[in-house]
Amino acid sequence: PFLGVLDEVRLYSNALRAETLSELALCRNTGGILKGESLPALADAGPAHTIWKPTRSVALKGSCRQQGSPSTQIVIRWSLLDAPDKSKASIDHANLGSATLNLDIDAPPGDYELQLHCVTGDRISSSKVVVALFAAHEARSGNTINTAAV
């Protein structure tokens, strides 16, 4: 039985040659990237946002920074990971770095968590951002929400 620790796992669709395995073992300083393989683009979902109702849209300013050959195509995709119950949020231009989170008029206050994915070849880099929506009469101080009398 293997009693060690695995810190990096890669799956291949074909058997690897002995030379390729040797090269992988020796290229630890390149993060296990073999010659000819694409480097992952670096995803940055941008800064967190704090908004108050009746705001209904937020401009997301994410980016995917190229690391390898500039000829490598980057596929960009935003996704909504988490939202308050009963929210009907949507993302316009989800395939662009500059997308828009749209909230319906009855959007409940709370945190809307989004993720930006940057795909180059078979490599994916992701970054998350939170949009915090407050009712018009709420104010945030650190991790405390102060509600004014209405």
Side-chain angles (χ1 to χ4, degrees):
F2 178 73
L3 300 176
V5 176
L6 296 176
D7 65 350
E8 190 174 317
V9 176
R10 294 177 98 184
L11 299 176
Y12 292 87
S13 61
N14 58 313
L16 299 179
R17 297 184 338 250
E19 297 83 28
T20 304
L21 291 171
S22 296
E23 186 181 343
L24 275 171
L26 295 173
C27 65
R28 286 186 129 353
N29 60 340
T30 64
I33 307 293
L34 296 171
K35 285 185 240 172
E37 285 188 314
S38 60
L39 292 168
L42 296 178
D44 180 1
H49 299 269
T50 302
I51 59 173
W52 284 263
K53 290 183 101 174
T55 303
R56 295 189 48 208
S57 66
V58 178
L60 303 170
K61 300 291 184 187
S63 65
C64 295
R65 195 177 78 213
Q66 190 83 339
Q67 290 192 92
S69 166
S71 64
T72 304
Q73 180 182 4
I74 299 175
V75 177
I76 298 171
R77 187 78 187 156
W78 282 96
S79 59
L80 183 63
L81 295 179
D82 194 23
D85 288 341
K86 300 182 182 174
S87 67
K88 295 178 184 160
S90 64
I91 303 170
D92 282 346
H93 309 293
N95 60 340
L96 300 174
S98 298
T100 303
L101 172 66
N102 295 306
L103 305 170
D104 65 302
I105 196 156
D106 297 320
D111 288 344
Y112 293 75
E113 185 178 19
L114 298 105
Q115 187 167 37
L116 174 66
H117 303 279
C118 302
V119 181
T120 48
D122 61 347
R123 298 181 177 270
I124 300 173
S125 174
S126 300
S127 177
K128 296 178 184 177
V129 66
V130 173
V131 175
L133 174 65
F134 292 97
H137 60 277
E138 292 179 328
R140 186 175 196 161
S141 173
N143 290 331
T144 305
I145 296 175
N146 304 310
T147 305
V150 181

